[in-house]
Amino acid sequence: MQRDRRTRVAPDRSRPSVELRPATEEERLWRLEAELAHAQRLIGDLRDRDALKTQFLSNIAHDLRTPLTAIITHAEILRDGLLGNINGKQHESISTIITGGRQLLDTIAEILLYAKGSSEPLTLTESEFSFAEIVDQVSQLNESLVAKKELAFERRLPPDLPRVAGDRDKIMHVVMNLIGNALEFTPAGGTVWIAAECVAGQEPTPSLLVEVGDTGRGIAPDHHELIFREFAQVDASASRVHHGTGLGLTIARRFVELHGGRIWVESDLGKGSRFFFTIPLRYVEA
Amino acid sequence: MIARRVLLVEDSVLITSALRVLLESNGWDTWVSPTLTDAIGAVSDFRPDVILVDLTLPDGDGLDILSALSSETPPPKVFVMTGHDDDATRDRCLSAGCDAVLIKPVPTRDLVELIAGAMA
């Protein structure tokens, strides 16, 4: 058939204007290898930067600790009147310097602990100990805060709780952190509790199950995982009421997982929080 | 009455300036050594009743001061100061033979009480 010269034939849009030869297997392999090498360089670069960040944190924390120690010591010398008598108001101001300084030191210690755990493999220094004694010690350390905030602190431990074999310092740190958070986020008149029991059948292996609960403001379900991430703050505003490094729960999770256990939270806004952690029974002796 | 003597082994000038004020205001003669080498020399020259030593020194481990005390009679009390608040550090110090492990910053009242007890 002869084509009418005035009729324009529309181009076929379904066909590409440039036709490429399909890559051969060899070319595809070469491209994948190049992408893999690039990704490996990126991973290496990120690891280097992460190590630098950790080293920086560690250096800063060390550098802050020494002058802060000197400030606290000088303040205590003044408070105790070793350089001359002071009046009541001066005593109060100096005591505030000391309290604030010690809080800063705790923060620095937390950063150092995090940096140490990030730069070298964590290990367990195992011994056999009483979990009830850890709870007693933590209760004693928080006595004044409990009284000051007019909180009820309940200790719900069975009398036959077995001794634990594990890293006492690390488990103590986890308990300190959970109870410290509970006390901080529970308003005056509230209740904070710690409970522990041996459970079999619920976990992959029989475990010591510890619960730290409070009647505080609670945590929204979409923040339950976030709070265990490093540097996470649920309230990131500059005017937030509660301050901290955002590392406490990250470190707690590391320590629990190092024992082969797990840690989680059950909570909702306005309904308080219940933090749980387990230590597998292979670390528990009857 | 002879003043009792404290040898303070610590390399941070900020810390030693604070502790020197504390120790001297309690009536104790104080000698500051910024290094382990200097401290080992001071043990025989100064003859301290108490040694307050930092665990980490620029030229060695603070516990090495213990080996310089074998000929001293009576041996001075040795209190080790450290920023490492853990069982492993405490066990290492106590099994090496030091008399107490103090976590920095040591509350001044506790420190004074401890040294006064050692001097008694």
Side-chain angles (χ1 to χ4, degrees):
Chain A
M1 192 177 95
Q2 196 171 11
R3 183 181 285 175
D4 182 346
R5 297 181 72 178
R6 288 171 299 176
T7 306
R8 302 183 69 178
V9 178
D12 183 355
R13 299 281 181 203
S14 66
R15 293 181 66 83
S17 53
V18 178
E19 193 77 35
L20 291 176
R21 174 178 59 79
T24 62
E25 276 302 309
E26 195 180 22
E27 284 167 338
R28 273 201 288 273
L29 190 63
W30 179 84
R31 195 175 300 150
L32 280 174
E33 280 173 353
E35 282 170 9
L36 183 65
H38 179 64
Q40 280 170 338
R41 274 196 303 276
L42 281 179
I43 290 168
D45 190 37
L46 283 172
R47 282 200 178 125
D48 288 348
R49 283 164 194 247
D50 190 51
L52 270 178
K53 176 209 72 184
T54 303
Q55 188 60 48
F56 171 75
L57 275 179
S58 179
N59 291 347
I60 287 287
H62 272 295
D63 287 352
L64 287 172
R65 192 163 64 176
T66 300
L68 194 52
T69 298
I71 290 168
I72 292 169
T73 307
H74 275 297
E76 288 183 345
I77 289 167
L78 289 171
R79 178 201 60 194
D80 293 345
L82 293 172
L83 298 179
N85 292 335
I86 56 167
N87 64 34
K89 282 193 179 302
Q90 288 166 334
H91 188 279
E92 201 177 309
S93 290
I94 295 167
S95 297
T96 306
I97 293 172
I98 296 166
T99 306
R102 288 199 174 270
Q103 278 173 2
L104 272 178
L105 272 179
D106 287 345
T107 303
I108 291 168
E110 200 162 72
I111 293 172
L112 279 171
L113 201 55
Y114 165 78
K116 191 179 174 197
S118 302
S119 61
E120 56 191 77
L122 284 170
T123 53
L124 293 173
T125 307
E126 289 191 39
S127 63
E128 192 192 295
F129 57 88
S130 154
F131 185 75
E133 276 175 22
I134 285 191
V135 176
D136 288 343
Q137 217 175 328
V138 175
S139 311
Q140 205 176 5
L141 287 168
N142 286 293
E143 250 172 20
S144 59
L145 182 59
V146 168
K148 194 176 163 189
K149 288 189 75 173
E150 297 176 336
L151 298 169
F153 183 79
E154 294 175 7
R155 187 179 173 283
R156 304 172 188 167
L157 305 180
D160 57 347
L161 201 63
R163 289 174 71 77
V164 177
D167 191 319
R168 191 183 188 284
D169 280 341
K170 289 186 174 65
I171 292 177
M172 168 107 172
H173 187 91
V174 175
V175 175
M176 273 291 281
N177 177 269
L178 295 181
I179 289 187
N181 284 346
L183 295 174
E184 185 180 355
F185 290 103
T186 304
T191 303
V192 170
W193 66 90
I194 180 163
E197 61 176 323
C198 284
V199 289
Q202 296 170 23
E203 293 294 311
T205 53
S207 301
L208 177 75
L209 172 67
V210 181
E211 174 189 347
V212 175
D214 66 68
T215 55
R217 66 183 188 185
I219 301 159
D222 55 345
H223 287 149
H224 287 188
E225 181 52 33
L226 173 78
I227 56 173
F228 289 100
R229 285 191 211 148
E230 55 194 21
F231 307 117
Q233 291 280 357
V234 170
D235 177 3
S237 67
S239 60
R240 69 185 195 269
V241 179
H242 303 282
H243 294 263
T245 56
L247 292 172
L249 288 172
T250 308
I251 295 169
R253 179 156 71 176
R254 276 186 190 169
F255 286 177
V256 168
E257 289 178 352
L258 197 61
H259 282 86
R262 63 189 187 101
I263 186 168
W264 71 98
V265 63
E266 293 176 7
S267 177
D268 209 340
L269 283 176
K271 293 182 179 173
S273 303
R274 295 167 71 201
F275 281 83
F276 298 88
F277 72 88
T278 59
I279 300 293
L281 199 57
R282 66 172 182 273
Y283 286 103
V284 180
E285 289 178 5
Chain B
M1 189 179 129
I2 301 167
R4 296 304 197 117
R5 291 179 291 265
V6 179
L7 171 61
L8 173 59
V9 193
E10 163 70 64
D11 62 312
S12 161
V13 177
L14 283 170
I15 307 262
T16 54
S17 72
L19 288 179
R20 186 195 274 274
V21 171
L22 177 73
L23 298 169
E24 291 182 345
S25 62
N26 276 280
W28 297 315
D29 270 356
T30 304
W31 181 294
V32 175
S33 287
T35 63
L36 184 65
T37 313
D38 188 84
I40 289 170
V43 167
S44 51
D45 295 343
F46 184 59
R47 304 189 71 80
D49 301 289
V50 167
I51 298 176
L52 202 52
V53 58
D54 187 24
L55 186 57
T56 310
L57 292 166
D59 58 343
D61 190 317
L63 291 176
D64 289 346
I65 190 91
L66 292 161
S67 57
L69 306 179
S70 50
S71 57
E72 298 298 313
T73 47
K77 296 281 184 191
V78 178
F79 303 142
V80 175
M81 300 181 291
T82 174
H84 300 284
D85 184 7
D86 57 69
D87 282 346
T89 303
R90 276 189 288 273
D91 290 348
R92 186 169 82 86
C93 294
L94 293 173
S95 53
C98 78
D99 295 284
V101 183
L102 312 171
I103 306 302
K104 289 186 189 175
V106 191
T108 52
R109 288 172 181 166
D110 294 351
L111 184 58
V112 168
E113 198 177 315
L114 188 70
I115 295 175
M119 301 288 195

